[in-house]
mmCIF file of all heavy atoms in Angstrom:
data_model
loop_
_atom_site.group_PDB
_atom_site.id
_atom_site.type_symbol
_atom_site.label_atom_id
_atom_site.label_comp_id
_atom_site.label_asym_id
_atom_site.label_seq_id
_atom_site.Cartn_x
_atom_site.Cartn_y
_atom_site.Cartn_z
ATOM 1 N N LYS A 148 17.592 -9.384 -3.226
ATOM 2 C CA LYS A 148 16.292 -9.999 -3.473
ATOM 3 C C LYS A 148 15.597 -9.360 -4.670
ATOM 4 O O LYS A 148 14.943 -10.044 -5.471
ATOM 5 C CB LYS A 148 15.416 -9.900 -2.231
ATOM 6 C CG LYS A 148 15.883 -10.794 -1.085
ATOM 7 C CD LYS A 148 14.938 -10.707 0.111
ATOM 8 C CE LYS A 148 15.390 -11.653 1.218
ATOM 9 N NZ LYS A 148 14.493 -11.591 2.396
ATOM 10 N N CYS A 149 15.700 -8.058 -4.808
ATOM 11 C CA CYS A 149 15.077 -7.382 -5.945
ATOM 12 C C CYS A 149 15.771 -7.754 -7.251
ATOM 13 O O CYS A 149 15.115 -8.007 -8.260
ATOM 14 C CB CYS A 149 15.094 -5.868 -5.738
ATOM 15 S SG CYS A 149 13.963 -5.302 -4.424
ATOM 16 N N GLU A 150 17.078 -7.793 -7.233
ATOM 17 C CA GLU A 150 17.814 -8.173 -8.435
ATOM 18 C C GLU A 150 17.498 -9.602 -8.835
ATOM 19 O O GLU A 150 17.418 -9.923 -10.024
ATOM 20 C CB GLU A 150 19.318 -8.005 -8.204
ATOM 21 C CG GLU A 150 19.762 -6.553 -8.090
ATOM 22 C CD GLU A 150 21.224 -6.414 -7.729
ATOM 23 O OE1 GLU A 150 21.919 -7.462 -7.729
ATOM 24 O OE2 GLU A 150 21.672 -5.290 -7.445
ATOM 25 N N ALA A 151 17.281 -10.466 -7.852
ATOM 26 C CA ALA A 151 17.014 -11.874 -8.148
ATOM 27 C C ALA A 151 15.711 -12.059 -8.904
ATOM 28 O O ALA A 151 15.560 -13.022 -9.672
ATOM 29 C CB ALA A 151 16.985 -12.683 -6.858
ATOM 30 N N VAL A 152 14.762 -11.159 -8.709
ATOM 31 C CA VAL A 152 13.471 -11.262 -9.410
ATOM 32 C C VAL A 152 13.312 -10.145 -10.439
ATOM 33 O O VAL A 152 12.211 -9.877 -10.918
ATOM 34 C CB VAL A 152 12.295 -11.256 -8.402
ATOM 35 C CG1 VAL A 152 12.300 -12.517 -7.572
ATOM 36 C CG2 VAL A 152 12.347 -10.019 -7.505
ATOM 37 N N ASN A 153 14.429 -9.485 -10.767
ATOM 38 C CA ASN A 153 14.470 -8.492 -11.847
ATOM 39 C C ASN A 153 13.463 -7.364 -11.631
ATOM 40 O O ASN A 153 12.666 -7.019 -12.512
ATOM 41 C CB ASN A 153 14.214 -9.159 -13.205
ATOM 42 C CG ASN A 153 14.561 -8.255 -14.370
ATOM 43 O OD1 ASN A 153 15.460 -7.413 -14.268
ATOM 44 N ND2 ASN A 153 13.854 -8.401 -15.483
ATOM 45 N N THR A 154 13.506 -6.777 -10.456
ATOM 46 C CA THR A 154 12.630 -5.649 -10.174
ATOM 47 C C THR A 154 13.430 -4.556 -9.483
ATOM 48 O O THR A 154 14.577 -4.756 -9.081
ATOM 49 C CB THR A 154 11.433 -6.075 -9.314
ATOM 50 O OG1 THR A 154 10.458 -5.022 -9.311
ATOM 51 C CG2 THR A 154 11.842 -6.374 -7.882
ATOM 52 N N PHE A 155 12.825 -3.381 -9.346
ATOM 53 C CA PHE A 155 13.475 -2.249 -8.690
ATOM 54 C C PHE A 155 12.391 -1.363 -8.099
ATOM 55 O O PHE A 155 11.208 -1.462 -8.466
ATOM 56 C CB PHE A 155 14.349 -1.450 -9.666
ATOM 57 C CG PHE A 155 13.564 -0.779 -10.756
ATOM 58 C CD1 PHE A 155 13.135 0.538 -10.629
ATOM 59 C CD2 PHE A 155 13.257 -1.463 -11.927
ATOM 60 C CE1 PHE A 155 12.403 1.148 -11.631
ATOM 61 C CE2 PHE A 155 12.538 -0.855 -12.939
ATOM 62 C CZ PHE A 155 12.107 0.458 -12.795
ATOM 63 N N SER A 156 12.778 -0.501 -7.189
ATOM 64 C CA SER A 156 11.812 0.402 -6.569
ATOM 65 C C SER A 156 12.284 1.840 -6.652
ATOM 66 O O SER A 156 13.483 2.121 -6.660
ATOM 67 C CB SER A 156 11.577 0.023 -5.095
ATOM 68 O OG SER A 156 12.759 0.233 -4.327
ATOM 69 N N ILE A 157 11.311 2.748 -6.714
ATOM 70 C CA ILE A 157 11.549 4.183 -6.663
ATOM 71 C C ILE A 157 10.581 4.751 -5.629
ATOM 72 O O ILE A 157 9.382 4.453 -5.661
ATOM 73 C CB ILE A 157 11.325 4.847 -8.033
ATOM 74 C CG1 ILE A 157 12.328 4.284 -9.051
ATOM 75 C CG2 ILE A 157 11.462 6.365 -7.927
ATOM 76 C CD1 ILE A 157 12.056 4.705 -10.465
ATOM 77 N N ARG A 158 11.077 5.547 -4.715
ATOM 78 C CA ARG A 158 10.249 6.066 -3.628
ATOM 79 C C ARG A 158 9.822 7.502 -3.923
ATOM 80 O O ARG A 158 10.641 8.349 -4.273
ATOM 81 C CB ARG A 158 11.018 6.014 -2.312
ATOM 82 C CG ARG A 158 10.252 6.596 -1.127
ATOM 83 C CD ARG A 158 11.015 6.406 0.162
ATOM 84 N NE ARG A 158 11.143 4.990 0.498
ATOM 85 C CZ ARG A 158 11.759 4.545 1.584
ATOM 86 N NH1 ARG A 158 12.316 5.395 2.444
ATOM 87 N NH2 ARG A 158 11.832 3.246 1.813
ATOM 88 N N ASN A 159 8.523 7.761 -3.767
ATOM 89 C CA ASN A 159 7.999 9.117 -3.805
ATOM 90 C C ASN A 159 7.685 9.545 -2.376
ATOM 91 O O ASN A 159 6.768 9.013 -1.748
ATOM 92 C CB ASN A 159 6.737 9.184 -4.672
ATOM 93 C CG ASN A 159 6.199 10.597 -4.787
ATOM 94 O OD1 ASN A 159 5.627 11.125 -3.844
ATOM 95 N ND2 ASN A 159 6.368 11.203 -5.955
ATOM 96 N N GLU A 160 8.476 10.485 -1.884
ATOM 97 C CA GLU A 160 8.348 10.905 -0.491
ATOM 98 C C GLU A 160 7.149 11.805 -0.249
ATOM 99 O O GLU A 160 6.716 11.986 0.895
ATOM 100 C CB GLU A 160 9.627 11.634 -0.056
ATOM 101 C CG GLU A 160 10.888 10.790 -0.132
ATOM 102 C CD GLU A 160 11.051 9.890 1.081
ATOM 103 O OE1 GLU A 160 10.123 9.856 1.921
ATOM 104 O OE2 GLU A 160 12.095 9.220 1.187
ATOM 105 N N GLN A 161 6.595 12.403 -1.320
ATOM 106 C CA GLN A 161 5.496 13.347 -1.144
ATOM 107 C C GLN A 161 4.140 12.663 -0.957
ATOM 108 O O GLN A 161 3.185 13.274 -0.494
ATOM 109 C CB GLN A 161 5.406 14.301 -2.340
ATOM 110 C CG GLN A 161 6.460 15.405 -2.347
ATOM 111 C CD GLN A 161 7.856 14.866 -2.606
ATOM 112 O OE1 GLN A 161 8.051 14.079 -3.517
ATOM 113 N NE2 GLN A 161 8.808 15.276 -1.787
ATOM 114 N N PHE A 162 4.060 11.407 -1.342
ATOM 115 C CA PHE A 162 2.773 10.711 -1.282
ATOM 116 C C PHE A 162 2.343 10.483 0.167
ATOM 117 O O PHE A 162 3.124 10.094 1.018
ATOM 118 C CB PHE A 162 2.868 9.366 -2.005
ATOM 119 C CG PHE A 162 1.608 8.551 -1.935
ATOM 120 C CD1 PHE A 162 0.602 8.740 -2.861
ATOM 121 C CD2 PHE A 162 1.435 7.604 -0.939
ATOM 122 C CE1 PHE A 162 -0.571 7.988 -2.797
ATOM 123 C CE2 PHE A 162 0.276 6.847 -0.870
ATOM 124 C CZ PHE A 162 -0.732 7.043 -1.799
ATOM 125 N N ARG A 163 1.056 10.717 0.408
ATOM 126 C CA ARG A 163 0.431 10.386 1.674
ATOM 127 C C ARG A 163 -0.979 9.867 1.393
ATOM 128 O O ARG A 163 -1.628 10.291 0.424
ATOM 129 C CB ARG A 163 0.306 11.620 2.589
ATOM 130 C CG ARG A 163 1.617 12.267 2.988
ATOM 131 C CD ARG A 163 2.385 11.404 3.986
ATOM 132 N NE ARG A 163 3.561 12.091 4.478
ATOM 133 C CZ ARG A 163 4.746 12.108 3.874
ATOM 134 N NH1 ARG A 163 4.901 11.471 2.728
ATOM 135 N NH2 ARG A 163 5.765 12.757 4.394
ATOM 136 N N ALA A 164 -1.436 8.957 2.208
ATOM 137 C CA ALA A 164 -2.834 8.528 2.171
ATOM 138 C C ALA A 164 -3.260 8.205 3.593
ATOM 139 O O ALA A 164 -2.480 7.642 4.375
ATOM 140 C CB ALA A 164 -3.022 7.315 1.266
ATOM 141 N N SER A 165 -4.482 8.560 3.924
ATOM 142 C CA SER A 165 -4.974 8.368 5.285
ATOM 143 C C SER A 165 -6.353 7.734 5.247
ATOM 144 O O SER A 165 -7.148 7.988 4.336
ATOM 145 C CB SER A 165 -5.052 9.713 6.023
ATOM 146 O OG SER A 165 -3.788 10.339 6.075
ATOM 147 N N SER A 166 -6.625 6.932 6.262
ATOM 148 C CA SER A 166 -7.946 6.302 6.349
ATOM 149 C C SER A 166 -8.994 7.361 6.680
ATOM 150 O O SER A 166 -8.755 8.275 7.472
ATOM 151 C CB SER A 166 -7.940 5.196 7.395
ATOM 152 O OG SER A 166 -7.520 5.697 8.656
ATOM 153 N N SER A 167 -10.141 7.211 6.050
ATOM 154 C CA SER A 167 -11.226 8.170 6.270
ATOM 155 C C SER A 167 -11.978 7.910 7.564
ATOM 156 O O SER A 167 -12.827 8.713 7.966
ATOM 157 C CB SER A 167 -12.195 8.121 5.088
ATOM 158 O OG SER A 167 -12.711 6.803 4.931
ATOM 159 N N GLY A 168 -11.675 6.794 8.218
ATOM 160 C CA GLY A 168 -12.317 6.440 9.486
ATOM 161 C C GLY A 168 -11.781 5.119 9.972
ATOM 162 O O GLY A 168 -10.877 4.520 9.360
ATOM 163 N N PRO A 169 -12.281 4.607 11.051
ATOM 164 C CA PRO A 169 -11.830 3.301 11.568
ATOM 165 C C PRO A 169 -12.092 2.189 10.554
ATOM 166 O O PRO A 169 -13.047 2.253 9.781
ATOM 167 C CB PRO A 169 -12.681 3.118 12.826
ATOM 168 C CG PRO A 169 -13.121 4.495 13.208
ATOM 169 C CD PRO A 169 -13.286 5.241 11.925
ATOM 170 N N ILE A 170 -11.248 1.179 10.572
ATOM 171 C CA ILE A 170 -11.380 0.022 9.685
ATOM 172 C C ILE A 170 -11.831 -1.158 10.539
ATOM 173 O O ILE A 170 -11.094 -1.608 11.433
ATOM 174 C CB ILE A 170 -10.051 -0.288 8.975
ATOM 175 C CG1 ILE A 170 -9.551 0.948 8.220
ATOM 176 C CG2 ILE A 170 -10.217 -1.475 8.028
ATOM 177 C CD1 ILE A 170 -8.163 0.788 7.631
ATOM 178 N N ALA A 171 -13.013 -1.651 10.264
ATOM 179 C CA ALA A 171 -13.550 -2.752 11.062
ATOM 180 C C ALA A 171 -12.786 -4.039 10.791
ATOM 181 O O ALA A 171 -12.220 -4.243 9.711
ATOM 182 C CB ALA A 171 -15.034 -2.943 10.733
ATOM 183 N N ALA A 172 -12.764 -4.935 11.787
ATOM 184 C CA ALA A 172 -12.135 -6.244 11.598
ATOM 185 C C ALA A 172 -12.911 -7.041 10.554
ATOM 186 O O ALA A 172 -14.141 -6.951 10.468
ATOM 187 C CB ALA A 172 -12.105 -7.004 12.917
ATOM 188 N N TYR A 173 -12.182 -7.763 9.752
ATOM 189 C CA TYR A 173 -12.762 -8.584 8.681
ATOM 190 C C TYR A 173 -13.820 -7.806 7.886
ATOM 191 O O TYR A 173 -14.999 -8.186 7.849
ATOM 192 C CB TYR A 173 -13.387 -9.870 9.246
ATOM 193 C CG TYR A 173 -12.393 -10.805 9.856
ATOM 194 C CD1 TYR A 173 -12.266 -10.882 11.243
ATOM 195 C CD2 TYR A 173 -11.573 -11.595 9.065
ATOM 196 C CE1 TYR A 173 -11.344 -11.732 11.823
ATOM 197 C CE2 TYR A 173 -10.649 -12.460 9.637
ATOM 198 C CZ TYR A 173 -10.529 -12.526 11.003
ATOM 199 O OH TYR A 173 -9.615 -13.372 11.578
ATOM 200 N N PRO A 174 -13.423 -6.712 7.238
ATOM 201 C CA PRO A 174 -14.410 -5.938 6.476
ATOM 202 C C PRO A 174 -15.031 -6.786 5.381
ATOM 203 O O PRO A 174 -14.404 -7.715 4.854
ATOM 204 C CB PRO A 174 -13.583 -4.779 5.910
ATOM 205 C CG PRO A 174 -12.178 -5.258 5.920
ATOM 206 C CD PRO A 174 -12.064 -6.169 7.103
ATOM 207 N N ASP A 175 -16.289 -6.451 5.035
ATOM 208 C CA ASP A 175 -17.017 -7.258 4.056
ATOM 209 C C ASP A 175 -16.602 -6.985 2.619
ATOM 210 O O ASP A 175 -17.065 -7.648 1.698
ATOM 211 C CB ASP A 175 -18.529 -7.030 4.204
ATOM 212 C CG ASP A 175 -18.914 -5.557 4.062
ATOM 213 O OD1 ASP A 175 -18.007 -4.731 3.773
ATOM 214 O OD2 ASP A 175 -20.105 -5.229 4.260
ATOM 215 N N ASP A 176 -15.735 -6.005 2.406
ATOM 216 C CA ASP A 176 -15.273 -5.647 1.064
ATOM 217 C C ASP A 176 -13.788 -5.332 1.165
ATOM 218 O O ASP A 176 -13.375 -4.530 2.024
ATOM 219 C CB ASP A 176 -16.042 -4.419 0.555
ATOM 220 C CG ASP A 176 -15.730 -4.078 -0.899
ATOM 221 O OD1 ASP A 176 -14.626 -4.429 -1.384
ATOM 222 O OD2 ASP A 176 -16.573 -3.442 -1.556
ATOM 223 N N PRO A 177 -12.940 -5.946 0.322
ATOM 224 C CA PRO A 177 -11.491 -5.655 0.402
ATOM 225 C C PRO A 177 -11.169 -4.188 0.181
ATOM 226 O O PRO A 177 -10.095 -3.730 0.609
ATOM 227 C CB PRO A 177 -10.888 -6.546 -0.703
ATOM 228 C CG PRO A 177 -12.025 -6.900 -1.592
ATOM 229 C CD PRO A 177 -13.238 -6.939 -0.717
ATOM 230 N N ARG A 178 -12.058 -3.442 -0.462
ATOM 231 C CA ARG A 178 -11.804 -2.019 -0.697
ATOM 232 C C ARG A 178 -11.830 -1.228 0.607
ATOM 233 O O ARG A 178 -11.418 -0.062 0.627
ATOM 234 C CB ARG A 178 -12.836 -1.445 -1.663
ATOM 235 C CG ARG A 178 -12.784 -2.059 -3.070
ATOM 236 C CD ARG A 178 -13.776 -1.340 -3.998
ATOM 237 N NE ARG A 178 -13.479 0.076 -4.105
ATOM 238 C CZ ARG A 178 -12.575 0.614 -4.924
ATOM 239 N NH1 ARG A 178 -11.855 -0.195 -5.732
ATOM 240 N NH2 ARG A 178 -12.368 1.908 -4.956
ATOM 241 N N LYS A 179 -12.310 -1.850 1.703
ATOM 242 C CA LYS A 179 -12.388 -1.158 2.984
ATOM 243 C C LYS A 179 -11.160 -1.387 3.844
ATOM 244 O O LYS A 179 -11.091 -0.884 4.975
ATOM 245 C CB LYS A 179 -13.647 -1.611 3.732
ATOM 246 C CG LYS A 179 -14.948 -1.245 3.026
ATOM 247 C CD LYS A 179 -16.147 -1.747 3.797
ATOM 248 C CE LYS A 179 -17.459 -1.400 3.080
ATOM 249 N NZ LYS A 179 -18.645 -1.919 3.826
ATOM 250 N N SER A 180 -10.186 -2.153 3.342
ATOM 251 C CA SER A 180 -8.962 -2.408 4.096
ATOM 252 C C SER A 180 -7.767 -1.953 3.249
ATOM 253 O O SER A 180 -7.845 -0.929 2.575
ATOM 254 C CB SER A 180 -8.880 -3.886 4.459
ATOM 255 O OG SER A 180 -7.819 -4.117 5.350
ATOM 256 N N ALA A 181 -6.667 -2.699 3.283
ATOM 257 C CA ALA A 181 -5.467 -2.340 2.502
ATOM 258 C C ALA A 181 -5.635 -2.866 1.083
ATOM 259 O O ALA A 181 -5.567 -4.081 0.844
ATOM 260 C CB ALA A 181 -4.221 -2.917 3.153
#
């Protein structure tokens, strides 16, 4: 699938990110979700 769309991936295992608190349903700003 990646070759078909001419893309590739590289994984960085050291990266982490965590939510600073609960994420409300249907947040009013996309910056508050994914």
Side-chain angles (χ1 to χ4, degrees):
K148 290 183 177 180
C149 290
E150 290 174 8
V152 292
N153 193 30
T154 193
F155 65 94
S156 66
I157 297 171
R158 177 175 295 181
N159 183 286
E160 299 278 6
Q161 283 69 47
F162 177 86
R163 298 288 186 275
S165 301
S166 56
S167 58
I170 304 173
Y173 295 103
D175 57 4
D176 187 335
R178 296 185 60 83
K179 296 179 181 179
S180 189

